[in-house]
């Protein structure tokens, strides 16, 4: 706004020039208008500058966007492309939701209900644990998304052999069909061809409930994947009101007469059931004609007379059947109980044994075994805590299925050197269709599950997988199992190769996975393992810097 004196001056100027040419007035008017507009522009510029000062706002965590990112990650994993998991459910994410809903038979609205989202995210978390079911799905025609209808049916109590790409053969129960698919995945013949082979499947009522029970002999499949040095996996399925329960055994040359079941739990006896006469070793049958259609199931064995003994042939021993000496039974004692005793001895001795006071190699390795067990439990528990939407019972259930998958490698522990077995494990890893990270996480979780429940098959199998994916320090665990006889027949000699594998990796600079703050453990394990087999394990002088015995922590 103009001041009063300025107004007076302008008025006088106008009066003084009233007779001038109109152009002068026009110029003056233009100047006045220009000055006024210029002032307004300047004032507005100052206001705008004040308004446009950057305001720093504190970014807050958005639970909704975090949930959206989980949803997008799960959609991408199961093959429904939602794009980058940025937490914004845009057009592409809504299209992926509609694809997921259509695949599952839900209304394809593009908007998830709470149940649909919870099932999707929890299924993703469950798949991250891995296991045989995930491996099988990855090899199927629908990929990993084939797990979704299977797990939905499990949750609702529905059994559908066609869900998830699994086959249904000759009206077989879902559980039996799934096992046939699992065996066929590691054998040359197809599932249909396997079912045509005499002796592959036998039927009998093993629990007396009036329904057929099933026995599958994997030795007939021709695949070494399911066989150890002298025995192959035998699966027995017993009927229950909830479906068929699977029981796994390692045997050779058995029939349904060797098994008896109470409800869903079966046991194997060396002698046939009373009233039956088991035939001698059968003559190998000619290879079946796989081109013949139909499904041929072997019925329950008939009662037959024993085959006459063959006449001695020229050459003496050539006609005799030689039998391999059975391996000693694995120690089934509780590792939890064993570690409790070791802990008491350690306390009474004043602390853990070290290289400087090594007087009992077996006890020293027992202390380290229990220490590594504690580390494995703590590490696995932390991994389980990161898996959302999966109960401990579900984790244990999937880890129980983990044991039979690695059973062929467990069977070789007592007869195969560590280098050869590690090579076999690496081939298994390459053929698993799972990433190294996923296998490692699965094995870490199943180590926790196995040791927590004192299930040595699961724990030892998980340790083998850890070595197979390249984490060689875990070979120490396998050495401990062999040296102490938990989950496998005790064999200090076989343990040496596994101890050496772990020691070589640690001395080459591998990150220690057990007691990382105690580098002297390498020397202790080296000396104690040598002492198990009569090597030199005399105490050595303690270093001048060692003021006290080491204290190990599982934190």
């Amino acid at each position: 706004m103009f001041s009063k004196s300025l107004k007076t001056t302008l008025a006088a100027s106008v009066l003084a020039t009233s007779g001038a040419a109109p152009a002068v007035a026009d110029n003056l008017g233009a100047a006045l208008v220009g000055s006024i507009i210029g002032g307004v522009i300047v004032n507005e510029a100052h206001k705008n500058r004040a308004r446009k000062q950057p305001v720093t706002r504190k970014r807050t965590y958005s639970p909704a966007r975090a949930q959206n990112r989980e949803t997008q990650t799960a959609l991408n994993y199961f093959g429904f492309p939602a794009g980058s998991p940025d937490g914004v459910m845009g057009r592409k994410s809504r299209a992926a939701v509609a694809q997921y809903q259509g695949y599952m038979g839900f209304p394809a609205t593009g908007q998830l209900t709470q149940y649909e989202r919870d099932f999707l995210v929890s299924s993703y978390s469950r798949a991250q644990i891995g296991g045989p079911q995930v491996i099988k799905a990855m090899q199927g025609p629908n990929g990993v998304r084939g797990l979704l209808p299977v797990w939905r049916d499990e949750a609702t109590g529905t059994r559908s052999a066609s869900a998830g790409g699994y086959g249904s053969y000759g009206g077989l129960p879902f559980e039996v069909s799934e096992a046939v698919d699992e065996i066929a995945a590691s054998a040359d013949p197809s599932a249909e061809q396997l079912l045509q082979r005499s002796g592959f499947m036998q039927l009998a009522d093993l629990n007396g409930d009036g329904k057929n029970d099933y026995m599958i002999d994997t030795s007939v499949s021709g695949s070494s994947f399911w066989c150890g040095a002298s025995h192959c996996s035998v699966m027995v399925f017993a009927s229950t009101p909830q479906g068929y329960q699977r029981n796994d055994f390692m045997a050779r040359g058995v029939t349904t007469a060797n098994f008896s079941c109470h409800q869903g739990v079966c046991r194997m006896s060396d002698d046939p059931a009373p009233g039956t006469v088991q035939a001698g070793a059968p003559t190998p049958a000619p290879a079946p004609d796989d081109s013949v259609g139909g499904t041929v199931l072997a019925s329950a064995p008939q009662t037959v007379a024993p085959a006459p003994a063959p006449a001695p042939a020229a050459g003496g021993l050539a006609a005799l059947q030689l039998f391999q000496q059975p391996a000693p039974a694995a120690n089934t004692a509780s590792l939890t109980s064993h570690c409790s005793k070791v802990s008491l001895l350690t306390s009474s001795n004043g602390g853990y044994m070290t290289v400087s006071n090594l007087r009992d190699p077996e006890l020293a390795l027992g202390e380290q075994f229990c220490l590594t067990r504690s580390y494995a439990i703590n590490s696995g528990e932390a991994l389980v805590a990161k898996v959302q939407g999966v109960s401990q019972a579900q984790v244990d259930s999937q880890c129980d299925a983990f044991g039979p998958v690695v059973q062929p490698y467990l069977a070789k522990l007592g007869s195969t050197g560590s280098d050869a077995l590690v090579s076999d494990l690496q081939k298994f890893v390459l053929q698993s269709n799972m990433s190294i990270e996923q296998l490692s996480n699965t094995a870490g979780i199943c180590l926790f599950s196995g040791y927590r429940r004192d299930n040595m098959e699961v724990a030892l199998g998980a340790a083998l997988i850890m070595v197979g994916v390249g984490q060689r320090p875990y070979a120490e665990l396998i050495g401990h199992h062999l040296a102490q006889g938990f989950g496998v027949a005790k064999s200090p000699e076989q343990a040496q190769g596994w101890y050496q594998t772990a020691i070589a990796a640690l001395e080459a600079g591998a990150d220690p996975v057990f007691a990382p703050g105690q580098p002297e453990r390498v020397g202790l394990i080296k000396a104690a393992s040598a002492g198990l087999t009569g090597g030199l394990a005399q105490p050595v002088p303690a270093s001048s810097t060692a003021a006290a015995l080491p204290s190990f922590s599982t934190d």
Side-chain angles (χ1 to χ4, degrees):
M1 180 175 291
F2 297 102
S3 65
K4 188 173 181 180
S5 59
L6 181 58
K7 287 181 179 180
T8 305
T9 303
L10 289 172
S13 300
V14 171
L15 291 175
T17 58
S18 58
V24 176
D26 291 341
N27 290 338
L28 177 59
L32 289 174
V33 173
S35 65
I36 293 172
I37 294 175
V40 173
I41 292 174
V42 171
N43 288 336
E44 288 300 319
H46 285 303
K47 291 179 182 179
N48 290 337
R49 190 178 297 113
R51 282 198 299 267
K52 291 181 180 179
Q53 291 294 328
V55 178
T56 303
R57 292 185 176 89
K58 184 177 181 181
R59 300 183 67 178
T60 58
Y61 170 76
S62 171
R65 292 196 68 167
Q67 288 186 355
N68 288 343
R69 281 193 291 270
E70 288 180 344
T71 301
Q72 291 168 325
T73 300
L75 286 168
N76 287 332
Y77 177 80
F78 287 113
F80 306 107
S84 176
D86 55 5
V88 179
M89 299 296 288
R91 183 174 59 182
K92 191 169 186 178
S93 295
R94 291 193 299 272
V97 168
Q99 290 180 36
Y100 157 68
Q101 291 171 322
Y103 179 76
M104 295 298 295
F106 303 139
T109 62
Q111 301 289 335
L112 289 169
T113 66
Q114 190 62 45
Y115 166 78
E116 292 168 356
R117 183 194 178 276
D118 289 346
F119 175 76
L120 173 68
V121 174
S122 64
S123 295
Y124 169 73
S125 298
R126 183 176 177 183
Q128 294 310 293
I129 300 176
Q133 203 172 20
V134 178
I135 296 174
K136 172 63 183 174
M138 287 180 171
Q139 297 171 342
N142 293 324
V144 72
R145 71 166 58 175
L147 293 167
L148 292 172
V150 174
W151 288 344
R152 177 200 59 199
D153 292 345
E154 284 183 4
T156 58
T158 305
R159 293 288 184 174
S160 173
S162 61
Y166 292 111
S168 178
Y169 309 105
L172 292 177
F174 169 82
E175 298 87 351
V176 182
S177 294
E178 187 178 21
V180 173
D181 278 331
E182 186 179 354
I183 297 167
S186 63
D188 290 333
S190 66
E192 291 83 359
Q193 291 167 348
L194 284 174
L195 288 168
Q196 295 170 10
R197 294 193 171 183
S198 176
F200 176 73
M201 182 176 293
Q202 299 179 27
L203 279 65
D205 182 5
L206 300 177
N207 56 8
D209 64 354
K211 297 181 180 179
N212 273 331
D213 302 309
Y214 300 82
M215 186 199 86
I216 295 178
D217 185 355
T218 63
S219 65
V220 182
S221 69
S223 171
S224 60
F225 180 84
W226 299 94
C227 297
S230 58
H231 298 87
C232 294
S233 179
V234 176
M235 306 173 188
V236 178
F237 297 84
S239 59
T240 70
Q242 294 77 33
Y244 278 80
Q245 181 170 326
R246 172 172 159 176
N247 300 260
D248 288 277
F249 303 91
M250 291 298 292
R252 184 176 289 276
V254 294
T255 68
T256 53
N258 292 95
F259 298 93
S260 61
C261 303
H262 175 67
Q263 296 179 353
V265 180
C266 301
R267 64 181 180 87
M268 182 178 68
S269 60
D270 294 332
D271 300 322
T276 63
V277 180
Q278 189 175 13
T283 302
D289 183 2
D290 293 334
S291 64
V292 179
T295 300
V296 181
L297 302 179
S299 61
Q302 303 295 320
T303 302
V304 296
L317 295 177
L320 296 180
Q321 183 178 6
L322 302 180
F323 296 93
Q324 197 172 24
Q325 183 178 358
N331 190 337
T332 58
S334 166
L335 179 58
T336 301
S337 175
H338 176 73
C339 286
S340 296
K341 298 174 185 176
V342 169
S343 178
L344 289 174
L345 291 174
T346 302
S347 298
S348 65
N349 291 336
Y352 283 94
M353 206 169 293
T354 65
V355 175
S356 61
N357 65 355
L358 180 59
R359 58 186 178 276
D360 187 341
E362 187 170 357
L363 177 57
L365 290 173
E367 290 176 339
Q368 298 306 313
F369 188 11
C370 296
L371 176 68
T372 56
R373 171 183 174 272
S374 297
Y375 264 84
I377 289 175
N378 290 342
S379 300
E381 193 170 21
L383 289 173
V384 172
K386 296 177 182 178
V387 180
Q388 302 297 322
V390 179
S391 67
Q392 186 63 62
Q394 288 175 320
V395 171
D396 292 341
S397 176
Q398 287 193 235
C399 287
D400 284 340
F402 191 75
V405 171
V406 296
Q407 180 60 48
Y409 306 100
L410 295 177
K412 294 179 180 180
L413 277 173
S415 59
T416 305
S418 58
D419 291 341
L421 195 49
V422 168
S423 178
D424 290 344
L425 288 167
Q426 289 173 336
K427 293 176 184 176
F428 169 79
V429 169
L430 290 173
Q431 296 170 359
S432 69
N433 289 334
M434 294 176 66
S435 67
I436 296 295
E437 181 181 5
Q438 193 172 13
L439 277 171
S440 180
N441 287 339
T442 299
I445 288 173
C446 288
L447 265 179
F448 156 70
S449 175
Y451 282 138
R452 180 182 62 83
R453 296 178 295 136
D454 227 18
N455 187 325
M456 294 298 100
E457 182 182 53
V458 171
L460 188 51
L464 283 171
I465 293 301
M466 279 296 201
V467 178
V469 299
Q471 300 195 36
R472 299 299 176 86
Y474 279 90
E476 178 192 335
L477 273 178
I478 303 168
H480 289 318
H481 277 274
L482 284 163
Q484 306 284 327
F486 285 91
V488 65
K490 187 173 182 178
S491 177
E493 293 77 14
Q494 287 292 113
Q496 298 303 310
W498 296 98
Y499 282 134
Q500 291 304 317
T501 298
I503 291 169
L506 292 168
E507 289 182 336
D511 292 332
V513 293
F514 308 117
Q518 302 293 338
E520 62 271 18
R521 286 187 72 247
V522 178
L524 174 62
I525 294 170
K526 184 185 293 187
S529 61
L532 281 181
T533 54
L536 296 176
Q538 289 81 10
V540 298
S543 65
S544 58
T545 58
L549 294 177
S551 174
F552 298 98
S553 171
T554 59
D555 294 337

